[in-house]
Amino acid sequence: MRVLFVLFISCAMGIAGCSSCPDSDMLVGSYCYSHHGFSSSQDSIFIYADGTYTYQHLASNGHVFDRHGAWKHDSPGCEILFENFLFFSDEKSFSGSQGGNWYSRVHVVDGVILLMYSSEDNIYFSKVGRNSRR
C-alpha cells in the first residue's frame, strides 16, 4: 500500500510540474520577438486559424519585410512547423530567396505561450494577442 501511495504522489507531481501543450486553436494569435523577457515589435509572427501565418520584420530603415506560409501543429511533440519560413535581418534583403521549414517548440510559462527560437539564449516569440483576421 505504501508503495502505491509513493508511486501515486510521484506521478501526480510529475504531471503537475509539466505544462501541457496548448490546443491548435490556442496557438492562433500575434507573437512578438522576445529576448530575456524584453519584447520587440521588430519581428512578429501572426498565426491564423486557417492554417496560414505571416512573419514580419521591421528593418531599421522602416521597410517591412514579410513572409507567408502554412503552419501545422504537432501536438504530441509540442511543436509548430512553419513551412516556407525565412528569417529577415537589416543586413541583407532575402527577396527571391527560398524559405525552408522551421520547427519551433511550444512552451507555456505563467500562462503565456512561447514559440522557442533559441532555448540556450532565451530567445522566443511571445504571444501578445489574438488575431481577428481569417
PDB file of all heavy atoms in Angstrom, residues 65-77:
ATOM      1  N   PHE A  65       9.565  43.745 -44.197  1.00  0.00           N
ATOM      2  CA  PHE A  65       9.684  42.515 -44.968  1.00  0.00           C
ATOM      3  C   PHE A  65       8.662  41.533 -44.410  1.00  0.00           C
ATOM      4  O   PHE A  65       8.474  41.472 -43.198  1.00  0.00           O
ATOM      5  CB  PHE A  65      11.084  41.899 -44.830  1.00  0.00           C
ATOM      6  CG  PHE A  65      12.183  42.769 -45.359  1.00  0.00           C
ATOM      7  CD1 PHE A  65      12.927  43.559 -44.502  1.00  0.00           C
ATOM      8  CD2 PHE A  65      12.475  42.793 -46.715  1.00  0.00           C
ATOM      9  CE1 PHE A  65      13.954  44.355 -44.974  1.00  0.00           C
ATOM     10  CE2 PHE A  65      13.501  43.589 -47.203  1.00  0.00           C
ATOM     11  CZ  PHE A  65      14.240  44.369 -46.329  1.00  0.00           C
ATOM     12  N   ASP A  66       8.024  40.783 -45.276  1.00  0.00           N
ATOM     13  CA  ASP A  66       7.112  39.766 -44.751  1.00  0.00           C
ATOM     14  C   ASP A  66       7.201  38.487 -45.564  1.00  0.00           C
ATOM     15  O   ASP A  66       7.658  38.475 -46.693  1.00  0.00           O
ATOM     16  CB  ASP A  66       5.670  40.264 -44.649  1.00  0.00           C
ATOM     17  CG  ASP A  66       5.070  40.659 -45.978  1.00  0.00           C
ATOM     18  OD1 ASP A  66       5.726  40.547 -47.022  1.00  0.00           O
ATOM     19  OD2 ASP A  66       3.900  41.070 -45.981  1.00  0.00           O
ATOM     20  N   ARG A  67       6.792  37.434 -44.908  1.00  0.00           N
ATOM     21  CA  ARG A  67       6.823  36.093 -45.490  1.00  0.00           C
ATOM     22  C   ARG A  67       5.544  35.393 -45.071  1.00  0.00           C
ATOM     23  O   ARG A  67       5.094  35.534 -43.933  1.00  0.00           O
ATOM     24  CB  ARG A  67       8.038  35.337 -44.957  1.00  0.00           C
ATOM     25  CG  ARG A  67       8.323  34.032 -45.592  1.00  0.00           C
ATOM     26  CD  ARG A  67       8.843  34.232 -46.995  1.00  0.00           C
ATOM     27  NE  ARG A  67       9.286  32.963 -47.556  1.00  0.00           N
ATOM     28  CZ  ARG A  67      10.127  32.875 -48.541  1.00  0.00           C
ATOM     29  NH1 ARG A  67      10.639  33.950 -49.081  1.00  0.00           N
ATOM     30  NH2 ARG A  67      10.470  31.709 -49.000  1.00  0.00           N
ATOM     31  N   HIS A  68       4.948  34.641 -45.988  1.00  0.00           N
ATOM     32  CA  HIS A  68       3.699  33.933 -45.724  1.00  0.00           C
ATOM     33  C   HIS A  68       3.898  32.439 -45.967  1.00  0.00           C
ATOM     34  O   HIS A  68       4.724  32.044 -46.779  1.00  0.00           O
ATOM     35  CB  HIS A  68       2.581  34.437 -46.641  1.00  0.00           C
ATOM     36  CG  HIS A  68       2.414  35.918 -46.614  1.00  0.00           C
ATOM     37  ND1 HIS A  68       1.696  36.553 -45.644  1.00  0.00           N
ATOM     38  CD2 HIS A  68       2.906  36.886 -47.423  1.00  0.00           C
ATOM     39  CE1 HIS A  68       1.741  37.856 -45.869  1.00  0.00           C
ATOM     40  NE2 HIS A  68       2.472  38.086 -46.938  1.00  0.00           N
ATOM     41  N   GLY A  69       3.127  31.638 -45.285  1.00  0.00           N
ATOM     42  CA  GLY A  69       3.192  30.201 -45.490  1.00  0.00           C
ATOM     43  C   GLY A  69       2.137  29.491 -44.664  1.00  0.00           C
ATOM     44  O   GLY A  69       1.244  30.111 -44.091  1.00  0.00           O
ATOM     45  N   ALA A  70       2.278  28.196 -44.596  1.00  0.00           N
ATOM     46  CA  ALA A  70       1.360  27.360 -43.826  1.00  0.00           C
ATOM     47  C   ALA A  70       2.034  26.916 -42.534  1.00  0.00           C
ATOM     48  O   ALA A  70       3.262  26.834 -42.462  1.00  0.00           O
ATOM     49  CB  ALA A  70       0.942  26.141 -44.645  1.00  0.00           C
ATOM     50  N   TRP A  71       1.213  26.625 -41.529  1.00  0.00           N
ATOM     51  CA  TRP A  71       1.740  26.092 -40.269  1.00  0.00           C
ATOM     52  C   TRP A  71       0.951  24.854 -39.894  1.00  0.00           C
ATOM     53  O   TRP A  71      -0.208  24.704 -40.264  1.00  0.00           O
ATOM     54  CB  TRP A  71       1.707  27.132 -39.154  1.00  0.00           C
ATOM     55  CG  TRP A  71       0.325  27.537 -38.695  1.00  0.00           C
ATOM     56  CD1 TRP A  71      -0.462  28.491 -39.254  1.00  0.00           C
ATOM     57  CD2 TRP A  71      -0.413  27.008 -37.587  1.00  0.00           C
ATOM     58  NE1 TRP A  71      -1.653  28.596 -38.574  1.00  0.00           N
ATOM     59  CE2 TRP A  71      -1.656  27.693 -37.540  1.00  0.00           C
ATOM     60  CE3 TRP A  71      -0.158  26.019 -36.638  1.00  0.00           C
ATOM     61  CZ2 TRP A  71      -2.615  27.418 -36.567  1.00  0.00           C
ATOM     62  CZ3 TRP A  71      -1.129  25.752 -35.684  1.00  0.00           C
ATOM     63  CH2 TRP A  71      -2.334  26.458 -35.651  1.00  0.00           C
ATOM     64  N   LYS A  72       1.631  23.958 -39.188  1.00  0.00           N
ATOM     65  CA  LYS A  72       0.990  22.734 -38.711  1.00  0.00           C
ATOM     66  C   LYS A  72       1.409  22.522 -37.264  1.00  0.00           C
ATOM     67  O   LYS A  72       2.555  22.767 -36.896  1.00  0.00           O
ATOM     68  CB  LYS A  72       1.439  21.528 -39.547  1.00  0.00           C
ATOM     69  CG  LYS A  72       0.992  21.593 -40.975  1.00  0.00           C
ATOM     70  CD  LYS A  72       1.518  20.432 -41.767  1.00  0.00           C
ATOM     71  CE  LYS A  72       1.107  20.589 -43.224  1.00  0.00           C
ATOM     72  NZ  LYS A  72       1.830  19.684 -44.087  1.00  0.00           N
ATOM     73  N   HIS A  73       0.465  22.044 -36.473  1.00  0.00           N
ATOM     74  CA  HIS A  73       0.708  21.805 -35.046  1.00  0.00           C
ATOM     75  C   HIS A  73       0.979  20.328 -34.821  1.00  0.00           C
ATOM     76  O   HIS A  73       0.159  19.488 -35.169  1.00  0.00           O
ATOM     77  CB  HIS A  73      -0.507  22.263 -34.246  1.00  0.00           C
ATOM     78  CG  HIS A  73      -0.354  22.118 -32.775  1.00  0.00           C
ATOM     79  ND1 HIS A  73      -1.410  21.831 -31.954  1.00  0.00           N
ATOM     80  CD2 HIS A  73       0.718  22.226 -31.958  1.00  0.00           C
ATOM     81  CE1 HIS A  73      -0.999  21.773 -30.706  1.00  0.00           C
ATOM     82  NE2 HIS A  73       0.294  21.997 -30.688  1.00  0.00           N
ATOM     83  N   ASP A  74       2.121  20.029 -34.240  1.00  0.00           N
ATOM     84  CA  ASP A  74       2.459  18.666 -33.837  1.00  0.00           C
ATOM     85  C   ASP A  74       2.218  18.595 -32.333  1.00  0.00           C
ATOM     86  O   ASP A  74       3.105  18.890 -31.540  1.00  0.00           O
ATOM     87  CB  ASP A  74       3.913  18.357 -34.189  1.00  0.00           C
ATOM     88  CG  ASP A  74       4.388  17.025 -33.623  1.00  0.00           C
ATOM     89  OD1 ASP A  74       3.540  16.192 -33.227  1.00  0.00           O
ATOM     90  OD2 ASP A  74       5.616  16.821 -33.568  1.00  0.00           O
ATOM     91  N   SER A  75       0.988  18.239 -31.958  1.00  0.00           N
ATOM     92  CA  SER A  75       0.600  18.239 -30.552  1.00  0.00           C
ATOM     93  C   SER A  75       1.426  17.275 -29.699  1.00  0.00           C
ATOM     94  O   SER A  75       1.892  17.660 -28.627  1.00  0.00           O
ATOM     95  CB  SER A  75      -0.892  17.938 -30.421  1.00  0.00           C
ATOM     96  OG  SER A  75      -1.295  18.066 -29.085  1.00  0.00           O
ATOM     97  N   PRO A  76       1.636  16.012 -30.137  1.00  0.00           N
ATOM     98  CA  PRO A  76       2.435  15.113 -29.291  1.00  0.00           C
ATOM     99  C   PRO A  76       3.860  15.615 -29.066  1.00  0.00           C
ATOM    100  O   PRO A  76       4.421  15.463 -27.992  1.00  0.00           O
ATOM    101  CB  PRO A  76       2.438  13.793 -30.068  1.00  0.00           C
ATOM    102  CG  PRO A  76       1.252  13.853 -30.949  1.00  0.00           C
ATOM    103  CD  PRO A  76       1.071  15.305 -31.289  1.00  0.00           C
ATOM    104  N   GLY A  77       4.444  16.243 -30.085  1.00  0.00           N
ATOM    105  CA  GLY A  77       5.801  16.776 -29.955  1.00  0.00           C
ATOM    106  C   GLY A  77       5.828  18.178 -29.396  1.00  0.00           C
ATOM    107  O   GLY A  77       6.889  18.724 -29.109  1.00  0.00           O
TER     108      GLY A  77
END
